Amino acid sequence: MVEYAHMKTKTMTVMAAAVLLAGMAMADDPDADVPKFEYDGEIEIAAPLGNGWVDSPDRTEEISLQMTSVPKNIGSFFYRPKAAKTPTRGAPLPEGMIGMDATMCTLDDGRVAVAFLCPDDMDATTGFRMNVWIGPWASLKASSTRGFYCVSFNRPRGSGGTWLPKDLKVMDAKFRALAERRAKDDGKSDDPVMVDLTTDLSRFSTIHESEYYDAHASSIMLPDEKTMFCFWDLAHGGPTGPAAKSTDGGRTWTDISGQIPADFRKSHDAPVAFRFVDPKTGKARLRVFAGFVEVDPKDWRGPKDRPLVEAMPSIMSEDDGQTWKYLPPMGPDFCCVISFFGMERLQDGSYLGVYHRGPQANGDGNPLHILSSVSRDGGLTWEKPNLVARKEGYELCEPAVFYSPDQKELCMLIRENSGKHPSQMCFSKDEGKTWSAIQDAPLALWGHRHVVQKLHDGRYLVVFRDTKSFIGGTVIAWVGPYESIKDGTGRGGYRIKLFPNYGTAYDCGYQGMHLKKDGEIVINTYSMFRPWANATPSIVSMHFKIEEADALLAKAV
């Protein structure tokens, strides 16, 4: 049963005083980091309206809870513009909002209260145990617990509805006091608010969709800011070769797979595309790397003890993508899982490429570690790779590399693939020759496949596959200052939901990101974009300006 209400109340007396139950939850779970308070004072009941929907503070949107039949499972909600006749797609409730007989109401100050009975704590004498979550509408809509706290108390038996502490100001004061104390800590428990850009479907265009598993996209934008190329593979780590071109900045796309050399279609594993400029001649070239050439149809990489001489094949164009030629593999020194995932042009015009591999001769296996190589001739030839990062108990992969605002240091942001640790990072002050020990990145950046862009206003936009905010495992972004990346806090930043992902959670998120002079950002990735069962991934493009996300943030906070 789900009930809904606005604040129409009657009062009953129970006992007195509120006591803090628990401070922070586990530090590695930002959405579970919600203050919980015990309440033994007067409580009051909000009478349900019975319409099934609860209004946003400005009365333009509404939310409806949809609970699961299993009390300990996470429920979901639907939201819609108030004028709409049908709801938009659902989203999961933030983790922790679990229980029975969910009820919900809007408070006079615009916040929402979401209440659950605790199925494991029902006493025939004292009544039912109730948890009430109180916080911002915008956070609930974003499946986040940002700004929420939880109050626990005994509710009389046989009395339905949303019960609340009568003196809510007391609980608010305790919450503010705790928030002030948290502000003085290291900030690593911060759960930044998330705004949602996916409701505006005009932002999106489909690059390619089919009955096949199209995935692992990478893209290039030419200096005219209109011409783009996108490349992807088939199956997980499967053959490369599919490609598309846009001449209108990513709004529409044309398939150019037939222009790709046939030899490249024998290559495998997540193509990555870059535009290089030779520092001596000024010659520009496009180059697309794959992981390896197929060794055997049944064993793509070949035996684990066989050196992968077929590592990093590629295609190259020296006429802005009009024609392409195949380049043979770079050899066993460049044995990899995925080829250069991160690339940065250094101060002298050379390029630093970073990638990961495993300990086996064929490049696979665990533990995964990070290597780098430098090209001094515009991406044509590459120096012998150097080890960047390896740590016992950590699976390090898919590194992104980028400069600090003053360009005096490089930062590398690294996916940690075991799931036991946050994303990692390390720093170099000598143009990538040596690196600091890896350390935890901000929890707000916990995820996979990071791509980083410095924006025109000096902030940094980090796009990645989200694995910690419980919005379904899709492609999101974090935007904020470089300093809060480096100090590990993530303070001063917020997150943006960029793409819907209707299918298998977390099957999404290799992407190319491009910033235009007018501030428009274009992101090309793969996602379960089609909202029906058993749909395969699609290659999808979206565009926005950071000012649009900032405006949504201003409304949310």
Side-chain angles (χ1 to χ4, degrees):
M1 180 179 69
V2 181
E3 296 179 344
Y4 304 87
H6 292 293
M7 282 294 292
K8 296 179 181 179
T9 61
K10 59 183 180 180
T11 305
M12 80 171 283
T13 301
V14 182
M15 285 182 281
V19 180
L20 182 64
L21 265 185
M24 300 182 186
M26 293 179 65
D28 65 351
D29 193 348
D31 271 72
D33 185 20
V34 176
K36 295 180 175 66
F37 302 92
E38 182 76 17
Y39 184 80
D40 288 327
E42 288 184 292
I43 59 176
E44 55 189 13
I45 182 173
L49 290 179
N51 65 355
W53 292 86
V54 174
D55 288 341
S56 62
D58 61 6
R59 303 287 176 142
T60 62
E61 297 179 300
E62 48 192 359
I63 277 180
S64 172
L65 295 179
Q66 305 288 323
M67 300 308 297
T68 68
S69 58
V70 181
K72 292 186 179 181
N73 283 2
I74 297 174
S76 61
F77 63 86
F78 288 88
Y79 62 88
R80 66 185 181 189
K82 231 184 155 183
K85 295 182 179 180
T86 57
T88 65
R89 60 196 168 277
L93 286 169
E95 192 189 32
M97 290 191 184
I98 299 174
M100 298 173 58
D101 291 351
T103 63
M104 183 175 174
C105 71
T106 316
L107 305 184
D108 292 336
D109 61 10
R111 291 179 298 171
V112 293
V114 185
F116 303 90
L117 292 182
C118 305
D120 296 330
D121 194 5
M122 297 184 182
D123 188 282
T125 303
T126 61
F128 292 116
R129 194 70 175 159
M130 176 167 275
N131 286 335
V132 181
W133 299 67
I134 298 169
W137 162 279
S139 293
L140 178 64
K141 181 181 172 182
S143 299
S144 170
T145 55
R146 169 80 171 187
F148 271 87
Y149 66 86
C150 181
V151 183
S152 297
F153 50 82
N154 290 332
R155 192 209 76 182
R157 294 179 63 85
S159 301
T162 305
W163 289 80
L164 295 170
K166 183 179 180 182
D167 194 355
L168 201 56
K169 292 181 179 179
V170 172
M171 308 311 299
D172 290 344
K174 287 182 175 289
F175 179 51
R176 286 195 299 270
L178 180 61
E180 289 172 0
R181 291 198 299 273
R182 286 185 173 184
K184 297 176 182 178
D185 71 7
D186 63 6
K188 290 191 176 183
S189 61
D190 191 25
D191 174 24
V193 69
M194 185 182 295
V195 301
D196 189 354
L197 291 178
T198 66
T199 58
D200 181 359
L201 297 182
S202 67
R203 298 186 186 281
F204 299 93
S205 61
T206 299
I207 299 174
H208 182 81
E209 62 183 17
S210 72
E211 72 275 20
Y212 298 105
Y213 183 99
D214 300 289
H216 309 134
S218 182
S219 56
I220 304 168
M221 181 174 74
L222 298 189
D224 65 7
E225 298 188 344
K226 295 180 180 180
T227 307
M228 292 184 177
F229 296 91
C230 186
F231 306 86
W232 62 95
D233 63 10
L234 298 173
H236 196 88
T240 57
K245 179 181 179 180
S246 174
T247 57
D248 56 7
R251 299 305 197 272
T252 61
W253 295 82
T254 302
D255 188 277
I256 60 166
S257 301
Q259 301 176 21
I260 303 304
D263 284 342
F264 197 57
R265 299 174 193 171
K266 302 173 185 176
S267 301
H268 280 249
D269 219 330
V272 287
F274 305 101
R275 181 177 183 271
F276 300 101
V277 177
D278 192 308
K280 295 180 180 179
T281 66
K283 177 70 175 177
R285 56 182 59 93
L286 314 180
R287 191 166 179 181
V288 186
F289 299 88
F292 58 95
V293 177
E294 182 180 293
V295 175
D296 184 277
K298 296 182 179 180
D299 187 3
W300 291 343
R301 288 180 172 273
K304 64 181 182 181
D305 57 351
R306 175 187 177 275
L308 192 65
V309 297
E310 299 85 359
M312 288 200 196
S314 62
I315 55 173
M316 185 174 69
S317 173
E318 294 186 313
D319 55 10
D320 286 341
Q322 297 301 309
T323 61
W324 298 87
K325 64 179 179 181
Y326 176 75
L327 298 181
M330 291 165 59
D333 284 345
F334 292 86
C335 188
C336 61
V337 175
I338 298 171
S339 59
F340 298 119
F341 194 83
M343 188 72 63
E344 183 71 3
R345 190 176 189 184
L346 301 177
Q347 304 278 14
D348 63 359
S350 58
Y351 289 86
L352 175 70
V354 291
Y355 64 99
H356 71 281
R357 64 161 294 171
Q360 297 172 183
N362 69 355
D364 213 350
N366 294 318
L368 300 172
H369 51 277
I370 306 298
L371 299 99
S372 70
S373 178
V374 173
S375 172
R376 304 188 188 279
D377 55 7
L380 275 178
T381 62
W382 294 83
E383 297 176 355
K384 187 171 182 177
N386 295 308
L387 178 67
V388 171
R390 175 165 40 199
K391 187 173 182 179
E392 185 176 354
Y394 287 69
E395 302 296 340
L396 306 176
C397 61
E398 295 169 357
V401 61
F402 55 98
Y403 271 111
S404 60
D406 60 8
Q407 292 199 310
K408 292 184 178 180
E409 71 178 4
L410 290 163
C411 175
M412 190 180 300
L413 193 56
I414 305 170
R415 167 181 174 176
E416 201 290 311
N417 202 43
S418 74
K420 300 176 182 178
H421 311 284
S423 299
Q424 299 294 297
M425 60 183 179
C426 57
F427 301 88
S428 173
K429 293 185 179 296
D430 56 8
E431 296 286 89
K433 297 180 180 65
T434 61
W435 293 85
S436 66
I438 62 168
Q439 63 192 75
D440 289 353
L443 294 181
L445 298 180
W446 192 325
H448 301 161
R449 307 169 177 175
H450 303 82
V451 178
V452 184
Q453 175 68 58
K454 182 184 176 185
L455 301 178
H456 296 320
D457 64 9
R459 289 179 294 173
Y460 282 70
L461 184 68
V462 184
V463 177
F464 58 101
R465 178 172 70 178
D466 169 45
T467 59
K468 290 299 288 185
S469 73
F470 304 96
I471 62 167
T474 187
V475 179
I476 71 168
W478 175 92
V479 60
Y482 176 81
E483 292 75 15
S484 67
I485 299 176
K486 183 175 181 179
D487 67 16
T489 67
R491 287 178 180 159
Y494 68 95
R495 292 184 289 198
I496 309 167
K497 184 178 179 182
L498 297 173
F499 289 85
N501 189 38
Y502 296 110
T504 305
Y506 311 117
D507 195 359
C508 58
Y510 283 80
Q511 55 269 328
M513 175 164 52
H514 311 286
L515 175 65
K516 298 181 180 180
K517 294 183 181 68
D518 67 358
E520 182 177 87
I521 301 157
V522 179
I523 299 170
N524 307 313
T525 190
Y526 86 99
S527 175
M528 300 284 193
F529 193 69
R530 291 171 286 179
W532 55 80
N534 302 318
T536 53
S538 301
I539 311 299
V540 188
S541 179
M542 71 91 67
H543 61 274
F544 72 103
K545 290 187 176 182
I546 199 62
E547 291 82 6
E548 296 169 325
D550 289 343
L552 292 176
L553 176 68
K555 292 181 181 180
V557 299

